[in-house]
Amino acid sequence: MKKKLTYSLAAAVVGGVSFAALPASAQTVLKWAHVYEAGEPYHTCAVEASDKLMEATDGRYSIEVFPASSLGKEVDINEGLGLGTVDIIYTGQLFAGRAYGPIAIGGAPYMFRDYEHWDQFRNSELFSELAQGYEEASGNHITSLTYYGERHVTSNKEINTPEDMEGLKIRVPNAPLYMMFPKAVNANPTPIAFAEVYLALQQGTVDAQENPLPTIEAKKFYEVQDQITLTGHITDALLTIVGGPVWNSLDEADREAFDRVLDETAECATQQVIQKEEELVEGFRDQGVTVNEVDRTPFREATVKLHNGEDATWDQDTYDRLQAIQ
């Protein structure tokens, strides 16, 4: 992010011990929690951030990263930020939208024209304003936005048109806006925790799920779903958020260090995800998975009608400003 935000100081308590009570020379080990696998770029880049943060803060802060929902599901780690049970998280924009609705706009289906539109948004005044609104509502600080990839549908039936998805029981994350796309195509959205999706697909609890190609590979969903339909219905991203108890304990120099290191981490993962997306279409085909390149226009047209409907958590002005970004 090019735009940085500054907020007021407050005391921080983690595990019942105040940061203010620690000796100035003591190293604070921060817990960074997320729901993704240890082999994914989000995790590996976050692990690399620890050394960078230690260098930037003269050894006063390091990071231990907890992948694969080991410190809780996505709802849990979002709640843990304010409690001090976790210090930094990756989370979807729609989960952050529970605290401040407008921040979720970037995670809505077919909200962006393409990657370039999304990239301009993450460096825009609009995103800075939304991040500040989230901080004021939640007490936590957004540092960065990491590209998560275009979300596509996996299933065991061929999908070529929106009509092919009618009645399809599709797993979505447990956040209301993820249901907008399934609703638009008359599918049946079914919220299931990320760690439970593979088993739900394997047992037939749901018929389909949707995620970017690198996640489909990392979670091995292709083992239990033999069709991938390239709907590209969400240009998705992960927010990097530092909990209020930590952020409010930092002086200005350390805040700048955190912002810089976590921005570099976001770019590290973003570039790897882009490369992985480019490689995986043929990679899946080589493994016998059918990859359907469909006309996205009818899917987009069905969904755009819902952008400012009852599920919208933003106002018309915010929507218009986002669409006007070039």
Side-chain angles (χ1 to χ4, degrees):
M1 267 171 56
K2 295 176 181 174
K3 312 295 181 184
K4 298 300 176 191
L5 311 174
T6 304
Y7 305 106
S8 60
L9 291 171
V13 179
V14 174
V17 179
S18 169
F19 278 100
L22 294 173
S25 60
Q27 183 182 98
T28 300
V29 181
L30 303 175
K31 294 181 179 180
W32 186 337
H34 63 83
V35 301
Y36 306 100
E37 295 301 307
E40 293 189 79
Y42 322 108
H43 180 76
T44 56
C45 290
V47 169
E48 292 172 6
S50 183
D51 286 345
K52 294 178 180 179
L53 189 63
M54 281 196 290
E55 182 179 356
T57 61
D58 299 321
R60 286 176 287 108
Y61 291 95
S62 65
I63 298 167
E64 184 174 2
V65 189
F66 296 83
S69 305
S70 55
L71 291 187
K73 299 172 184 177
E74 195 143 11
V75 172
D76 303 323
I77 63 175
N78 272 270
E79 293 175 350
L81 279 176
L83 299 173
T85 55
V86 297
D87 304 307
I88 307 171
I89 67 169
Y90 285 126
T91 193
Q93 295 157 103
L94 305 193
F95 284 90
R98 294 180 174 202
Y100 180 65
I103 196 72
I105 191 170
Y110 295 116
M111 188 58 65
F112 297 103
R113 296 181 295 275
D114 48 31
Y115 173 85
E116 288 71 24
H117 186 195
W118 172 83
D119 192 39
Q120 290 298 316
F121 166 72
R122 71 166 167 161
N123 291 310
S124 68
E125 289 285 353
L126 175 60
F127 180 68
S128 292
E129 292 170 18
L130 294 172
Q132 183 170 359
Y134 169 83
E135 196 279 341
E136 291 169 354
S138 70
N140 304 315
H141 176 70
I142 294 170
T143 67
S144 318
L145 198 59
T146 301
Y147 181 59
Y148 185 60
E150 285 191 328
R151 296 182 82 99
H152 307 294
V153 175
T154 71
S155 63
N156 286 319
K157 66 168 286 188
E158 185 175 348
I159 296 170
N160 293 302
T161 68
E163 289 72 25
D164 294 330
M165 292 188 68
E166 185 170 354
L168 195 71
K169 195 170 185 181
I170 181 169
R171 178 269 172 180
V172 294
N174 188 19
L177 277 172
Y178 280 114
M179 301 182 193
M180 184 180 286
F181 174 64
K183 284 181 181 178
V185 296
N186 296 312
N188 181 13
T190 306
I192 295 175
F194 196 45
E196 300 165 11
V197 178
Y198 185 98
L199 188 61
L201 295 170
Q202 187 178 51
Q203 296 181 341
T205 306
V206 290
D207 307 313
Q209 69 85 43
E210 48 81 61
N211 260 296
L213 297 179
T215 304
I216 292 168
E217 181 195 42
K219 286 292 190 178
K220 302 187 184 300
F221 295 146
Y222 62 90
E223 293 181 346
V224 288
Q225 303 259 269
D226 58 17
Q227 301 268 339
I228 300 174
T229 304
L230 300 180
T231 51
H233 53 278
I234 298 178
T235 303
D236 212 356
L238 302 177
L239 294 163
T240 304
I241 308 179
V242 179
V246 172
W247 187 255
N248 293 329
S249 74
L250 302 176
D251 62 24
E252 191 60 35
D254 282 344
R255 289 182 177 188
E256 290 177 2
F258 271 64
D259 272 332
R260 182 176 66 257
V261 168
L262 296 179
D263 275 355
E264 291 173 359
T265 303
E267 195 58 27
C268 168
T270 291
Q271 294 307 315
Q272 290 185 45
V273 171
I274 290 170
Q275 181 178 352
K276 197 76 171 176
E277 281 188 310
E278 293 173 352
E279 299 169 350
L280 278 174
V281 170
E282 291 307 315
F284 281 126
R285 285 174 174 158
D286 289 344
Q287 295 181 71
V289 180
T290 299
V291 182
N292 303 314
E293 298 188 49
V294 296
D295 179 6
R296 298 180 184 181
T297 303
F299 294 93
R300 175 184 290 276
E301 289 177 346
T303 306
V304 167
K305 297 174 185 177
L306 306 183
H307 273 179
N308 293 299
E310 62 182 8
D311 293 329
T313 57
W314 49 85
D315 59 22
Q316 186 70 46
D317 179 64
T318 299
Y319 178 80
D320 291 343
R321 288 177 65 193
L322 187 151
Q323 296 304 317
I325 292 173
Q326 298 296 323

